[in-house]
Amino acid sequence: MNEQLLFNLVDLAGTFAFAISGATAARRRNLDLFGILAIAYITACGGGIVRDLCIGAIPPAGLSDWRYLFTAVVAALLTIVAYPWVERLTYPVRLFDAMGLGLFAVYGAHKALLYGHNAEVAILLGTVTAIGGGMARDVLLARVSIVLQREIYASAALLGAALTVLGEHLRWPAVWATWLPIMVCFGLRFLSLRLHWNLPRFGRDKTP
């Protein structure tokens, strides 16, 4: 498979997964059709738009390429139709979040490198790509973002982005440089949910 085609598919797959995450969260808050579509799109494309603005890829792909809006809308509509089945999944929002997290961390880091930025910028913007849309979703739905809680979330995205940069620096085959970081990021996030792994917290909880 052509390398650029592979990364485009990864990006659209991440868009689809995050759009489901956003639509599910919006549906739980009983938003109307426009609200669900808006939250799905912002969750799916928010991080990528911030990344593109930072690296000078203007206009951002999430705004200029019809495939991103189309993918987000299709994912949101499928979520609305299949909502009872989606809700049967354990941690549905977080499951699709974990899928999108790995996909976007890898693509974000790759695109930053493609635009000539160094490893540090690529890792940071890979992380921003992965967590930005979810943070925007949580702000709009007035809930504490996963990123600010003790769960392993942003750190998983950071690891995925770092592995991508390392793989491209060492010239791993495209398949390895793409899918290994995706699986590591997704696996770490998924296992942290199942096994209740958390980052350390400092201080004691205050009860009212």
Side-chain angles (χ1 to χ4, degrees):
M1 181 183 293
N2 178 273
E3 182 177 339
Q4 191 56 45
L5 176 59
L6 173 62
F7 278 106
N8 287 339
L9 290 175
V10 166
D11 195 24
L12 290 174
T15 301
F16 189 83
F18 265 131
I20 292 176
S21 166
T24 303
R27 177 65 176 78
R28 284 179 170 177
R29 291 298 182 95
N30 295 317
L31 270 61
D32 63 13
L33 177 61
F34 178 80
I36 293 173
L37 293 176
I39 294 295
Y41 175 74
I42 291 169
T43 306
C45 298
I49 290 172
V50 172
R51 175 205 63 221
D52 286 354
L53 290 174
C54 288
I55 65 176
I58 300 173
L63 297 176
S64 61
D65 191 331
W66 65 270
R67 294 177 297 176
Y68 293 93
L69 176 61
F70 178 77
T71 301
V73 169
V74 169
L77 293 177
L78 287 175
T79 302
I80 293 171
V81 172
Y83 183 72
W85 288 274
V86 173
E87 273 295 293
R88 290 176 187 173
L89 296 172
T90 304
Y91 304 115
V93 174
R94 294 179 180 182
L95 175 63
F96 288 107
D97 239 22
M99 294 177 184
L101 194 71
L103 293 164
F104 271 5
V106 168
Y107 183 77
H110 168 75
K111 189 166 185 178
L113 291 174
L114 196 64
Y115 273 73
H117 295 279
N118 62 29
E120 179 186 356
V121 171
I123 293 170
L124 290 176
L125 289 182
T127 305
V128 167
T129 306
I131 69 176
M135 290 187 70
R137 173 200 64 211
D138 292 339
V139 169
L140 291 172
L141 295 179
R143 65 186 197 181
V144 177
S145 177
I146 295 173
V147 178
L148 302 180
Q149 300 181 52
R150 60 180 179 172
E151 295 180 5
I152 295 175
Y153 187 75
S155 49
L158 189 69
L159 177 59
L163 277 176
T164 301
V165 171
L166 177 64
E168 297 206 15
H169 177 72
L170 297 178
R171 300 187 182 279
W172 292 350
V175 173
W176 279 99
T178 304
W179 292 109
L180 179 60
I182 289 172
M183 294 308 298
V184 168
C185 181
F186 172 78
L188 178 58
R189 175 61 180 154
F190 184 75
L191 287 175
S192 72
L193 290 174
R194 292 296 300 269
L195 302 177
H196 306 289
W197 293 345
N198 295 302
L199 293 176
R201 298 176 69 179
F202 302 96
R204 300 174 62 182
D205 293 334
K206 295 181 179 180
T207 55

